[in-house]
């Protein structure tokens, strides 16, 4: 009798872990690192502006404070508390913008644009909005403030025949490149130049050139992807998935109503944004004031549409539920930093990354500064926080290596801005949650562009070195 051959069942295809699992794995890895890496710190002083900065050359070991398993679990709660301002801003702002989205005003506006733009020409919307968001980030430091607009652009992108990645990319690349090529962002380039003792706004013309170069590269990449999936939806990285399940995209967007109520809603939004920009620039408004403004815009828009108080509250409650997952992501990501701070190893990692640069030729060291700052943003995703930790070290180090201090600031900007939309400890998980995209899909799409933009930044740094940027 012939022996029957049995084949093993097909192996299951590898599935990317849930974002909560991924963040927990990083928390565990960082906890282990607190037992392996020596604890250490730099001395810190307050400068003339009252900011606490690191004193270069003062790194020294301190008593080790490794994080135990129970303390690691506590760090999750600590991360929630530490990031509470961001968590509540996201939930309140998203719920408020959710009211504006529900009015259909944005769909009506885009409907008019789509009637004018046909076929591939619709893709010109992509660089236009990336540029607008980039200018806001580059000048007044808009970043978290743009998060509520992610679902808007995701819905628009889907309705235009693209996918949720395109909508997310418009917002994420706009604000990420805006920070990377910031002209006068007070939270990053302003602080970094102050610490490096450079005149405010110095080197602005070159940074504008850098900003434009990165916008061109990113826009071309996104438009190429968008046009490809418009022609063949199976080319989408999200094909067959339940993409952006909480985003309502109207398939009949080109025929959407755009009457007086919708125009008044958009006017309310425009006036609100102008007030936000003025308040941020003039009075130093931050999340608390911005939340208030978003609430006002949402409630006024609901009143314009004639919704009852209960109807308005129900719509906001649904938005709160949609954002619960994103809020948890923020807390878990911040727990990573809580663990690293508790183990006193952040300064150790900074010292370890910066020390090898002192043995490199200036041209090589300048490019490596970009790599160091990009990696450092994994540990310190705050732009101002990274400035006060790294610039007191990088500025004097650049003097020793013959690198203009303006280049050191540029490396800080590049490393801080772009990786904010890449690292799980920064804002990548939050952006993906707002867009209804799995993090692994976003990374699969973003990594090639991220590498391309890093190479673009390296070319820009080489140009800066060649012209002696000052």
């Amino acid at each position: 009798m012939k022996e029957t051959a049995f084949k093993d069942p097909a192996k299951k295809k590898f599935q990317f872990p849930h974002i909560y699992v991924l963040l927990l794995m990083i928390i565990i890895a960082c906890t282990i690192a607190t037992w392996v890496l020596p604890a250490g710190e730099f001395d810190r002083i307050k400068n003339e502006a009252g900011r606490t900065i690191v004193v270069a050359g003062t790194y020294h070991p301190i008593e080790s404070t490794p994080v135990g398993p129970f303390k690691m679990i506590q760090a999750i709660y600590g991360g929630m508390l530490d990031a509470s301002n961001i968590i509540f801003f996201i939930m309140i702002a998203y719920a408020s913008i959710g009211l504006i989205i529900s009015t259909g005003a944005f769909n009506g506006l885009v409907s008019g644009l789509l009637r004018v733009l046909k076929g591939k020409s619709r893709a010109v919307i992509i660089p236009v909005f990336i540029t607008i968001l980039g200018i806001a980030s580059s000048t007044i430091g808009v970043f978290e403030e743009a998060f509520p607009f992610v679902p808007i652009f995701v819905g628009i992108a889907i309705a235009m025949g693209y996918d949720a990645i395109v909508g997310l990319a418009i917002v994420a690349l706009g604000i990420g490149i805006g920070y990377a090529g910031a002209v006068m962002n007070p939270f990053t380039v302003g602080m970094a130049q102050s610490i490096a003792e450079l005149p405010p706004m110095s080197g602005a013309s070159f940074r504008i050139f850098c900003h434009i170069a990165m916008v061109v590269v990113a826009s071309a990449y996104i438009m190429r992807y968008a046009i490809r999936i418009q022609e063949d939806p199976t080319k989408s990285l999200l094909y067959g998935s339940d993409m952006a399940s909480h985003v309502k995209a109207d398939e009949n967007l080109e025929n959407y109503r755009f009457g007086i109520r919708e125009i008044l809603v958009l006017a309310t939004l425009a006036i609100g944004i102008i007030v936000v920009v003025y308040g941020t620039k003039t009075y130093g408004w931050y999340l608390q004031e911005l939340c208030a403004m978003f609430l006002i815009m949402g409630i006024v828009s609901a009143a314009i549409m004639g919704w009852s108080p209960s109807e308005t509250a129900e719509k906001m409650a649904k938005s709160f539920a949609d954002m619960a997952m994103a809020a948890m992501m923020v807390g878990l990501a911040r727990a990573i930093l809580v663990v690293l701070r508790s183990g006193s190893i952040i300064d150790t990692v900074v010292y370890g990354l910066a020390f090898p640069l002192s043995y490199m030729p200036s041209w090589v060291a300048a490019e490596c500064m970009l790599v160091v700052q990009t990696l450092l943003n994994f540990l310190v995703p705050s732009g101002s926080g990274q400035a006060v930790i790294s610039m007191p070290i990088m500025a004097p180090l650049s003097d020793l290596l013959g690198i203009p201090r303006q280049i050191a600031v540029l490396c800080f900007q590049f490393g801080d801005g772009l990786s904010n939309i890449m690292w799980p400890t920064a804002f990548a998980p939050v952006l993906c949650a707002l867009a209804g995209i799995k993090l692994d899909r976003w990374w699969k799409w973003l990594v090639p562009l991220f590498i391309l933009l890093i190479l673009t930044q390296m070319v820009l740094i080489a140009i800066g070195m060649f012209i002696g940027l000052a």
Side-chain angles (χ1 to χ4, degrees):
M1 183 177 177
K2 189 175 180 180
E3 192 173 325
T4 304
F6 292 95
K7 291 185 179 180
D8 292 333
K11 292 183 179 179
K12 288 185 177 180
K13 186 179 178 181
F14 171 78
Q15 289 189 344
F16 197 78
H18 191 281
I19 183 60
Y20 290 171
V21 176
L22 175 64
L23 292 173
L24 185 59
M25 289 168 62
I26 297 174
I27 291 172
I28 293 172
C30 291
T31 300
I32 295 171
T34 65
W35 290 84
V36 176
L37 298 177
E41 65 180 14
F42 291 96
D43 291 339
R44 286 167 167 79
I45 60 171
K46 285 196 173 183
N47 63 8
E48 296 176 355
R51 300 189 184 100
T52 301
I53 62 172
V54 170
V55 179
T58 62
Y59 175 81
H60 57 278
I62 60 173
E63 184 180 354
S64 181
T65 55
V67 176
F70 186 57
K71 194 172 182 181
M72 179 190 74
I73 300 300
Q74 292 180 67
I76 296 175
Y77 176 75
M80 295 289 176
L81 289 181
D82 201 41
S84 59
N85 58 340
I86 299 294
I87 289 172
F88 285 113
F89 171 76
I90 288 172
M91 296 192 75
I92 294 172
Y94 178 82
S96 302
I97 290 295
L99 292 175
I100 298 175
I101 296 173
S102 299
T103 66
F106 264 99
N107 287 352
L109 175 63
V110 176
S111 176
L113 291 174
L114 296 186
R115 284 193 291 269
V116 175
L117 301 172
K118 299 295 182 181
K120 295 181 181 180
S121 63
R122 293 179 175 182
V124 300
I125 290 177
I126 293 170
V128 169
F129 283 119
I130 288 177
T131 301
I132 292 172
L133 289 165
I135 292 171
S137 294
S138 175
T139 53
I140 62 171
V142 168
F143 201 93
E144 295 97 322
E145 297 86 343
F147 287 0
F149 296 97
V150 170
I152 293 175
F153 285 98
V154 168
I156 290 172
I158 294 173
M160 290 175 64
Y162 306 142
D163 64 9
I165 287 178
V166 174
L168 173 56
I170 290 172
V171 179
L173 270 299
I175 57 180
I177 290 174
Y179 258 60
V183 177
M184 52 178 287
N185 185 334
F187 309 114
T188 55
V189 64
M191 185 172 290
Q193 287 189 326
S194 172
I195 294 171
E197 299 178 339
L198 292 170
M201 292 291 291
S202 58
S205 57
F206 186 75
R207 291 197 300 277
I208 291 173
F209 170 72
C210 293
H211 190 170
I212 293 172
M214 288 185 283
V215 166
V216 169
V217 171
S219 296
Y221 185 91
I222 300 170
M223 290 171 71
R224 179 174 175 270
Y225 173 77
I227 292 171
R228 188 168 73 242
I229 63 175
Q230 186 181 31
E231 295 174 343
D232 182 2
T234 63
K235 299 293 185 181
S236 168
L237 293 178
L238 302 178
Y239 183 74
S241 66
D242 183 20
M243 63 180 182
S245 58
H246 64 273
V247 177
K248 304 301 181 186
D250 196 321
E251 297 294 335
N252 196 33
L253 187 60
E254 291 192 41
N255 301 315
Y256 218 86
R257 180 179 183 275
F258 193 53
I260 185 64
R261 289 178 184 251
E262 289 75 19
I263 292 173
L264 289 174
V265 167
L266 289 183
T268 300
L269 179 62
I271 293 170
I273 291 175
I274 291 170
V275 173
V276 165
V277 170
Y278 180 78
T280 304
K281 185 70 177 172
T282 307
Y283 300 109
W285 284 3
Y286 195 42
L287 299 183
Q288 182 173 340
E289 295 84 359
L290 297 180
C291 271
M293 282 305 305
F294 277 117
L295 268 174
I296 292 170
M297 285 187 277
I299 293 171
V300 170
S301 297
I304 290 171
M305 298 303 295
W307 296 337
S308 68
S310 293
E311 188 178 0
T312 301
E314 286 175 4
K315 291 178 182 294
M316 294 192 73
K318 185 181 183 305
S319 295
F320 284 138
D322 289 339
M323 284 302 99
M325 183 175 180
M328 282 293 294
M329 287 182 187
V330 175
L332 284 170
R334 189 60 62 91
I336 297 169
L337 303 181
V338 171
V339 167
L340 294 170
R341 285 200 297 258
S342 298
S344 302
I345 62 172
I346 289 182
D347 284 7
T348 299
V349 175
V350 173
Y351 177 75
L353 290 172
F355 182 74
L357 297 181
S358 60
Y359 295 96
M360 296 179 181
S362 60
W363 285 83
V364 177
E367 302 292 359
C368 288
M369 273 188 179
L370 169 61
V371 177
V372 168
Q373 294 287 11
T374 301
L375 295 174
L376 183 58
N377 202 41
F378 180 91
L379 301 175
V380 190
S382 164
S384 55
Q386 188 174 337
V388 299
I389 288 176
S390 66
M391 288 314 301
I393 300 167
M394 295 301 182
L397 181 60
S398 65
D399 293 340
L400 293 174
L401 295 172
I403 299 172
R405 287 196 172 195
Q406 204 69 255
I407 294 292
V409 171
L410 195 64
C411 290
F412 154 73
Q413 282 184 251
F414 286 170
D416 166 66
L418 192 58
S419 58
N420 277 321
I421 63 173
M422 176 74 174
W423 297 140
T425 51
F427 295 106
V430 181
L431 290 165
C432 288
L434 291 168
I437 299 171
K438 289 185 178 180
L439 186 59
D440 63 316
R441 296 292 89 190
W442 173 241
W443 277 342
K444 185 173 182 178
W445 180 87
L446 179 64
V447 167
L449 176 58
F450 186 78
I451 294 172
L452 188 60
L453 286 171
I454 290 287
L455 293 174
T456 302
Q457 292 173 344
M458 287 183 167
V459 171
L460 293 169
I461 289 170
I463 294 173
M465 287 289 291
F466 179 76
I467 64 176
L469 183 65

